[in-house]
Amino acid sequence: MTATPTVGVLALQGDTAEHLRVLGDLGVPAEPVLRPEDLDRVDGLILPGGESTTMSKLAVRYDLLEPLRKHIGEGMPAYGTCAGMILLADRILDGAADQETVGGLDMTVRRNAFGRQSESFEAGIDIEGVDGAPFEAVFIRAPWVESVGERVRVLGQTPYGERAGRIVAVRQGGLLATSFHPELTGDPRIHRLFVDMVKGQA
Ligand code: GLN
């Protein structure tokens, strides 16, 4: 696909509006996704940050969990940020007892790994595939990636201090995930990378 794709943003809960705004600023057609049939109209999907336990429950209630698994399993490109990263993980640690994930990314993600809301922080992260200065990343009760399968490429890790060396950006084929919130900082480089992935150009 080389034409401008349509990118969906999962609209169960969380930062849906912020992602739609960034995509709009990039001139990329974008739509909220709330019903199974919405998935048929989009070429790629962003799963936003928010609260993964709530999103998991709502995905079941809206009959979206299986359609999400099907589309992503069949190769729909997807980008999960923060809670969305948790949703794309094949395995999670410190999840709620009945917490479901969509899965797709062969990794184990630890929820709330960087601590509580008050321990939210920002850090400059070098991300493979994102040219220029380190990406100023905002972490809000963020997960980290505890381990990855061999098909997963680590794109970024935390740089310094006691949190150094934690995996916070990964890619496996058409699936991308970051622990942080790129929709909050006005830097569209990761959204651009994902749109290029959806176009089959990255
Ligand atoms: N801690 C949240 C969760 O487990 C994620 C936080 C976020 O998306 N900013 O879902």
Side-chain angles (χ1 to χ4, degrees):
M1 180 186 312
T2 48
T4 304
T6 298
V7 174
V9 183
L10 189 63
L12 291 170
Q13 188 266 339
D15 275 357
T16 308
E18 290 79 359
H19 283 286
L20 289 170
R21 184 178 43 73
V22 179
L23 292 164
D25 289 348
L26 289 175
V28 175
E31 290 184 19
V33 167
L34 192 55
R35 295 166 306 171
E37 54 270 32
D38 297 339
L39 284 167
D40 298 325
R41 286 198 293 272
V42 299
D43 304 298
L45 182 70
I46 292 179
L47 299 92
E51 178 50 50
S52 60
T53 53
T54 307
M55 282 195 234
S56 154
K57 281 195 194 114
L58 291 174
V60 172
R61 188 172 317 155
Y62 283 82
D63 291 323
L64 255 184
L65 189 61
E66 288 309 326
L68 285 167
R69 285 179 175 155
K70 178 168 178 288
H71 278 80
I72 288 172
E74 289 173 353
M76 174 182 273
Y79 171 30
T81 65
C82 201
M85 167 189 259
I86 297 168
L87 287 179
L88 285 182
D90 281 346
R91 296 167 298 278
I92 54 176
L93 298 171
D94 296 338
D98 57 349
Q99 186 167 352
E100 301 273 4
T101 74
V102 174
L105 262 163
D106 180 13
M107 62 178 177
T108 301
V109 167
R110 187 178 291 280
R111 276 185 74 222
N112 302 335
F114 287 108
R116 306 159 66 89
Q117 191 85 14
S118 58
E119 291 162 84
S120 297
F121 64 102
E122 291 187 36
I125 312 276
D126 283 314
I127 298 183
E128 187 183 312
V130 173
D131 291 336
F135 195 91
E136 212 40 58
V138 178
F139 295 82
I140 304 168
R141 251 182 2 115
W144 69 46
V145 180
E146 190 102 359
S147 62
V148 295
E150 59 190 20
R151 290 168 298 162
V152 177
R153 189 163 183 88
V154 173
L155 302 183
Q157 291 171 265
T158 44
Y160 44 70
E162 62 192 52
R163 309 183 183 103
R166 296 297 180 181
I167 300 170
V168 293
V170 295
R171 178 173 176 182
Q172 177 187 331
L175 302 180
L176 178 69
T178 60
S179 301
F180 51 85
H181 287 261
E183 76 284 9
L184 297 180
T185 40
D187 183 341
R189 286 179 292 166
I190 300 184
H191 287 82
R192 215 179 273 137
L193 167 66
F194 179 61
V195 172
D196 286 344
M197 287 169 58
V198 177
K199 288 178 184 167
Q201 294 172 353

